[in-house]
Amino acid sequence: MASFLVARRLLSTAAARRLLPCTSPPPSAPAALCWLSTEASAHPPLPAPPLEPTVDPPKKDGASFSAGSGAGGAYGTGQGAASGGRRPGGAGYEEEQQKVLRASLLHVPRMGWSESAMIAGARDVSVSPAIVGAFPRKEAALVEFFMDDCLQQLMDRVDAGEGELLKNLMLTERLCRLVQMRLEMQTPYISKWPQALSIQSQPANVSTSLKQRAVLVDEIWHAAGDDGSDIDWYAKRTVLGGIYSASEVYMLTDNSPEFHDTWTFVNRGIKGALDLGKSYKEAAYLAETVGAGIGGSINGVLNKVFQK
């Protein structure tokens, strides 16, 4: 009988410990429960976990996507240059970081797309070289900053008056002119551009690189006057993406004066794709073949980036 009472008392105590602590138990509560309540009140309950941050869903027009660990910020999409939704060069960086990256570009022709060039750029603007450590992917950040800055320069030139001159040209001529304007910005770095392409193709960087190129070809089409949203929208950009990438590679081995042969290659590629009565889907296949598959890669990115 005694052992039964002991077991019953232990069970009662264990059950009482499972109850939520209360500051003032009811008068009829047993002494053991009153003791448990007093002990628990000395230790306040843990605070509620912080609320999860809310993220606004992407808008249909001017939607943006994260660049992951890219150059920072988000790329405007949807309406191209017409909406002012483009991402300005240096977006996502502090002013001091932008100064360092811009100054670093002056050292790229000699030092390449390297941490050394970034350190030299920091010293040029009287910033501690330790700031280079703030860029997780250093060399990739420099290349991506250059790509964004070139796109901004191209669109600024269109807005500043180049767009009016383009209106007097045929569509193929407008595209050729815009592609040439953009590729000309790489001429000071042409000896180091293979290194830039290698950096862009690294697994950690390729996503941002393809997104930047997708936005570039979209902006060029808009600047050329194409605001349509027909079934050939993706194919048009695939065509231009493949031709642009093929021309970029061709430029690396062009020894003609002022890259004359490259501009001829651009002209022939665009006119060959768009002037021979081909459907855009046929031209997209041609661009993918000529561009060694780069056109197809851009098409895949375009589908992901602009499909929302």
Side-chain angles (χ1 to χ4, degrees):
M1 184 67 176
S3 60
F4 172 76
L5 292 175
V6 171
R8 182 175 180 181
R9 183 175 300 174
L10 289 173
L11 289 173
S12 298
T13 303
R17 290 183 182 274
R18 293 194 188 98
L19 297 175
L20 292 175
C22 56
T23 54
S24 55
S28 58
L33 183 57
C34 291
W35 171 82
L36 178 62
S37 174
T38 304
E39 182 184 47
S41 64
H43 302 282
L46 294 175
L51 296 175
E52 292 292 331
T54 58
V55 179
D56 295 331
K59 299 178 180 179
K60 186 173 182 180
D61 291 329
S64 62
F65 59 82
S66 173
S69 57
Y75 294 86
T77 65
Q79 297 298 323
S83 67
R86 76 182 72 100
R87 172 186 168 190
Y93 291 120
E94 300 292 338
E95 182 179 357
E96 193 173 59
Q97 292 176 317
Q98 292 184 40
K99 289 180 179 179
V100 170
L101 289 170
R102 198 171 300 280
S104 301
L105 293 176
L106 299 176
H107 298 277
V108 169
R110 184 170 58 90
M111 298 181 174
W113 304 90
S114 63
E115 185 175 349
S116 299
M118 298 175 73
I119 291 174
R123 288 172 175 160
D124 287 349
V125 293
S126 302
V127 174
S128 170
I131 196 174
V132 176
F135 302 98
R137 293 176 300 117
K138 300 178 178 63
E139 297 87 350
L142 187 57
V143 175
E144 289 160 9
F145 175 85
F146 173 76
M147 294 289 290
D148 284 338
D149 192 56
C150 286
L151 175 60
Q152 185 64 43
Q153 290 182 48
L154 178 64
M155 295 299 102
D156 286 346
R157 287 179 62 179
V158 171
D159 295 341
E162 193 76 32
E164 292 297 321
L165 298 176
L166 292 173
K167 291 180 180 179
N168 300 321
L169 304 175
M170 296 177 61
L171 175 61
T172 53
E173 294 173 333
R174 292 197 294 271
L175 291 171
C176 290
R177 176 60 184 151
L178 288 164
V179 170
Q180 180 176 341
M181 287 167 58
R182 172 57 186 83
L183 288 176
E184 283 176 339
M185 298 177 187
Q186 292 176 195
T187 55
Y189 310 95
I190 196 64
S191 65
K192 304 298 182 182
W193 198 245
Q195 181 191 8
L197 292 177
S198 176
I199 291 171
Q200 289 177 316
S201 67
Q202 293 173 7
N205 310 326
V206 69
S207 176
T208 300
S209 172
L210 288 175
K211 289 172 184 176
Q212 287 181 312
R213 289 168 183 271
V215 173
L216 171 62
V217 296
D218 180 56
E219 292 283 7
I220 289 177
W221 266 109
H222 279 289
D226 177 71
D227 295 317
S229 56
D230 53 32
I231 195 170
D232 291 324
W233 192 93
Y234 294 109
K236 290 176 182 178
R237 282 144 181 82
T238 302
V239 169
L240 187 59
I243 293 171
Y244 178 90
S245 297
S247 302
E248 184 179 32
V249 174
Y250 184 94
M251 190 177 180
L252 297 177
T253 57
D254 184 4
N255 296 317
S256 64
E258 299 181 352
F259 299 96
H260 178 268
D261 290 349
T262 297
W263 314 141
T264 300
F265 181 87
V266 171
N267 188 286
R268 185 170 59 245
I270 291 177
K271 288 188 175 182
L274 306 184
D275 282 357
L276 296 180
K278 299 181 178 67
S279 70
Y280 280 117
K281 290 184 179 179
E282 292 173 324
Y285 178 77
L286 172 64
E288 181 176 351
T289 303
V290 173
I294 301 177
S297 300
I298 289 182
N299 186 37
V301 173
L302 282 164
N303 276 284
K304 293 178 182 178
V305 173
F306 297 112
Q307 209 165 29
K308 297 181 179 179

